[in-house]
Amino acid sequence: MPKNAKDFTGENDNILALGTPGGGKTSLFTTIPGKKFLYILDPNSLQTIKGQDIDYEIFLPEEIDISAVTLRTGVRDEPIEAQSVKTYLKFEEHFEEALRDNFFETYDTIGIDGMTSLQDITMDRIQKLNGRFGKHPEYADNTATMATVRKIIRTAASLNIRVFIAAHTDRK
């Protein structure tokens, strides 16, 4: 028997908040009613949610590889192993454990703040796996990063709860 759209309640609408840095995306998250959990990947998020009844986990790299890299093969500063490589592993471990243990079922909304940082830590991890960490990303790195991020978002969106994702429309 087919379902009818008039019977759909739309209780768990997902939200993609797009905007410039500092545009109020995280503040919007605080206004959503119900019990909330937030993945903090943006260093400004915690200041915004301070004092709110929101559970969270922080996944911020403490060190980022800022070594100068040229387009000329083999010409670069000596890279450090950026914490963002480890940050992605910690995020992945938490997310997969939360799925296994039905952690998200205790929340009305889960948030990911922000998409830009999630892409950055994912790219660092993909480049590490491809043996290219500290080099310019290649097409394969970008493709693998987008495929990985897409799987994370599709998995979150398939849960029976609201998902809120904050993403930058421009980056400075």
Side-chain angles (χ1 to χ4, degrees), residues 53-74:
D53 185 17
I54 298 172
D55 296 337
Y56 65 91
E57 288 286 336
I58 299 176
F59 296 94
L60 298 174
E62 296 167 8
E63 262 175 25
I64 299 174
D65 177 21
I66 58 170
S67 305
V69 180
T70 70
L71 292 176
R72 196 166 144 216
T73 304

Side-chain angles (χ1 to χ4, degrees), residues 80-82 84-86 88-89 121-135 141 145:
I80 61 167
E81 181 165 313
S84 55
V85 171
K86 296 173 188 167
Y88 178 81
L89 287 173
I121 65 171
T122 305
M123 173 64 82
D124 286 347
R125 181 64 187 154
I126 294 294
Q127 285 195 279
K128 172 79 173 171
L129 292 172
N130 285 339
R132 290 191 281 269
F133 181 74
K135 299 177 182 173
D141 300 320
T145 296

Side-chain angles (χ1 to χ4, degrees), residues 52-122:
Q52 302 282 331
D53 185 17
I54 298 172
D55 296 337
Y56 65 91
E57 288 286 336
I58 299 176
F59 296 94
L60 298 174
E62 296 167 8
E63 262 175 25
I64 299 174
D65 177 21
I66 58 170
S67 305
V69 180
T70 70
L71 292 176
R72 196 166 144 216
T73 304
V75 180
R76 62 159 292 127
D77 290 337
E78 192 60 36
I80 61 167
E81 181 165 313
Q83 291 292 320
S84 55
V85 171
K86 296 173 188 167
T87 302
Y88 178 81
L89 287 173
K90 291 175 186 175
F91 169 81
E92 179 182 61
E93 181 182 343
H94 185 279
F95 190 77
E96 289 180 350
E97 186 176 301
L99 290 168
R100 270 192 313 275
D101 298 344
N102 298 318
F103 171 79
F104 297 126
E105 289 181 8
T106 63
Y107 294 95
D108 300 306
T109 304
I110 61 167
I112 299 175
D113 192 9
M115 178 60 72
T116 306
S117 297
L118 177 60
Q119 289 174 307
D120 289 342
I121 65 171
T122 305

Side-chain angles (χ1 to χ4, degrees), residues 3-75:
K3 297 179 182 173
N4 193 298
K6 71 178 180 180
D7 299 325
F8 179 70
T9 60
E11 295 169 3
N12 294 321
D13 295 333
N14 293 325
I15 301 166
L16 174 61
L18 296 170
T20 57
K25 298 174 297 297
T26 308
S27 293
L28 178 63
F29 178 76
T30 67
T31 68
I32 298 171
K35 187 170 168 82
K36 297 181 281 287
F37 176 83
L38 183 63
Y39 280 108
I40 294 180
L41 297 132
D42 184 313
N44 297 311
S45 302
L46 193 54
Q47 189 66 23
T48 303
I49 68 167
K50 181 174 70 174
Q52 302 282 331
D53 185 17
I54 298 172
D55 296 337
Y56 65 91
E57 288 286 336
I58 299 176
F59 296 94
L60 298 174
E62 296 167 8
E63 262 175 25
I64 299 174
D65 177 21
I66 58 170
S67 305
V69 180
T70 70
L71 292 176
R72 196 166 144 216
T73 304
V75 180

